[in-house]
């Protein structure tokens, strides 16, 4: 008789919708108390019996917060707990949290995750009291991915709705749909079929940048808009920011009348040029009008490539925390802005 040895995984829970229940009605003006995080990590795992057929999961409660309240320190605590787990025998780690900030926390985790073991982030779009709650299925899928040897060497992955996304590409693109998470321009790197992960790409990742993702220096994120007069850009230096990311129009453009403000800002701090479109790479050599990408890059701005403004902000802040010189900032964005490589194993 063959004895199957199941992998050992650590489960780190931070709260969020996956841990939330509707507390019903109140005497307030709205009459609704709404859903709030209440369910513990142990109860979440215990509520999905099929997990026990995949792995031995040790549940750890790191917090019971809605994800808008998470900060860099929470990401660092998660990294420290994940490292401790794999150092003491876990072959992978699952993290659950609210979905509002997953695209940011997962990328910051990836910048700091220096281990080959899978670190898989999941959550839910429907709270546990809602009909069709997706939390149990997402947690089961995340455990299946973290337990799969094919997930080794891929860095941080995000698993929801039976899809596997890289931390660098995933975005939340809908307010409430269970299919809210997508990877614009690339699609998921894997899918789960009948509970089994199927990866579409070879394992590979960029190396971690640091073991410390907190504290990070303040980096501003500014999205340009029609008739933007540039006054926000002119104020950033006086507000104590160490760097800035500008989400430009289209392929990376600003209005001609704001070019002077952009140039002045780039003379005082590193400025990264991303696109507000949400998909595709920033251009580098197509448009030559004042405020076009050729003009802006000539003024010292750093092209973000495929990275959107949210992720570009985190990458720039992580580099500034290391006092990275301008040439290194350019190199890191040039490499990481192209997407996940095929042959950068941890």
């Amino acid at each position: 008789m063959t004895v199957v040895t199941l992998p050992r995984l650590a489960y780190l829970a931070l709260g969020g919708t996956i841990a939330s229940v509707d507390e019903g009605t109140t005497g307030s003006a709205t009459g609704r108390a709404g859903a709030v995080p209440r369910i513990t990590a142990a109860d979440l795992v215990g509520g999905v019996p099929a997990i026990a057929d995949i792995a031995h999961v040790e549940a750890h409660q790191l917090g019971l917060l809605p994800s808008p309240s998470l900060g860099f320190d929470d990401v660092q605590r998660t990294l420290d707990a994940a490292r401790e787990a794999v150092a003491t025998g876990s072959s992978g780690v699952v993290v659950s949290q609210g979905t509002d900030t997953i695209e940011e926390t997962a990328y910051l985790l990836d910048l700091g995750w220096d281990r080959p073991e899978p670190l898989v982030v999941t959550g839910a779009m429907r709270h546990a009291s809602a009909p069709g709650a997706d939390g149990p299925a997402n947690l089961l899928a995340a455990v299946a991915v973290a337990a799969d040897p094919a997930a080794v060497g891929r860095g941080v992955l995000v698993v929801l709705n039976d899809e596997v996304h890289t931390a660098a590409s995933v975005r939340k693109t809908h307010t409430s749909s269970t299919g809210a998470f997508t990877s614009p321009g690339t699609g998921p790197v894997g899918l789960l079929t009948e509970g089994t992960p199927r990866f579409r790409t070879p394992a590979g990742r960029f190396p971690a940048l640091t073991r410390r993702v907190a504290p990070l220096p303040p980096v501003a994120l500014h999205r340009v808009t029609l008739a933007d007069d540039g006054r926000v850009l002119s104020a950033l230096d006086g507000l104590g920011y160490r760097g800035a990311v500008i989400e430009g129009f289209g392929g990376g453009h600003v209005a001609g009348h704001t070019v002077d403000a952009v140039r002045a800002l780039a003379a005082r701090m590193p400025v990264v040029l991303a696109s507000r479109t949400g998909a595709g790479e920033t251009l580098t050599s197509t448009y030559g009008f004042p405020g076009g990408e050729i003009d802006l890059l000539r003024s010292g701005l750093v092209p973000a490539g495929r990275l959107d403004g949210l992720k570009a902000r985190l990458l720039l802040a992580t580099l500034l925390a290391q006092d990275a010189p301008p040439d290194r900032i350019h190199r890191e964005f040039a490499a990481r802005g192209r997407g996940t490589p095929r042959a950068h194993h941890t």
Side-chain angles (χ1 to χ4, degrees):
M1 179 178 178
T2 303
V3 177
V4 178
T5 302
L6 297 178
R8 174 183 161 196
L9 302 179
Y11 171 43
L12 312 176
L14 289 163
T17 296
I18 192 171
S20 294
V21 292
D22 192 336
E23 300 207 319
T25 60
T26 69
S28 68
T30 63
R32 296 293 306 165
V36 295
R38 291 284 187 262
I39 307 174
T40 66
D43 286 341
L44 284 168
V45 172
V48 189
I51 286 177
D53 297 327
I54 300 174
H56 297 295
V57 176
E58 299 176 1
H60 304 271
Q61 195 72 49
L62 297 188
L64 268 175
L65 293 171
S67 66
S69 295
L70 295 176
F72 296 152
D73 288 341
D74 297 297
V75 178
Q76 185 63 57
R77 287 193 303 111
T78 303
L79 273 176
D80 292 341
R83 288 197 194 98
E84 175 66 19
V86 298
T88 55
S90 294
S91 59
V93 179
V94 173
V95 176
S96 69
Q97 66 159 86
T99 59
D100 283 353
T101 58
I102 276 183
E103 60 193 291
E104 292 171 90
T105 57
Y107 187 59
L108 191 55
L109 285 168
D110 194 50
L111 293 178
W113 184 240
D114 55 355
R115 300 285 305 211
E117 292 87 353
L119 198 165
V120 180
V121 185
T122 192
M125 293 298 297
R126 295 174 180 164
H127 61 76
S129 305
D134 56 327
N138 287 341
L139 183 56
L140 180 63
V143 168
V145 171
D148 191 336
V152 172
R154 294 180 182 270
V156 176
L157 300 171
V158 175
V159 175
L160 293 101
N161 200 37
D162 280 344
E163 295 183 341
V164 185
H165 300 269
T166 66
S169 65
V170 72
R171 298 189 73 193
K172 186 175 183 178
T173 57
H174 197 280
T175 59
S176 58
S177 170
T178 55
F181 285 85
T182 64
S183 291
T186 62
V189 294
L191 301 169
L192 284 97
T193 301
E194 297 180 323
T196 300
R198 307 292 189 197
F199 286 96
R200 295 172 165 179
T201 62
R205 62 163 302 186
F206 285 103
L209 281 182
T210 179
R211 290 179 61 87
R212 301 294 307 175
V213 297
L216 293 179
V219 171
L221 174 59
H222 176 69
R223 169 174 281 196
V224 301
T225 54
L226 185 67
D228 186 347
D229 63 7
R231 74 178 71 183
V232 171
L233 298 175
S234 299
L236 292 181
D237 187 41
L239 295 175
Y241 287 103
R242 289 270 311 278
V245 175
I246 296 175
E247 284 192 334
F249 299 108
H253 311 139
V254 303
H257 60 267
T258 64
V259 170
D260 287 344
V262 173
R263 288 174 177 162
L265 185 65
R268 296 192 297 269
M269 66 179 67
V271 178
V272 173
L273 179 65
S275 170
R276 70 176 197 172
T277 62
E281 292 189 22
T282 47
L283 303 178
T284 59
S285 58
T286 301
Y287 293 100
F289 57 82
E293 80 279 355
I294 294 175
D295 179 33
L296 297 178
L297 299 183
R298 188 180 294 127
S299 298
L301 276 69
V302 181
R306 279 179 42 201
L307 294 176
D308 62 24
L310 295 174
K311 292 182 171 65
R313 169 180 171 263
L314 295 171
L315 177 55
L316 180 57
T318 301
L319 290 167
L320 291 176
Q322 303 174 35
D323 294 321
D327 61 337
R328 186 182 174 209
I329 292 174
H330 277 270
R331 288 198 309 272
E332 293 289 354
F333 272 94
R336 295 171 190 269
R338 288 196 300 267
T340 304
R342 291 189 175 184
H344 281 261
H345 300 278
T346 302

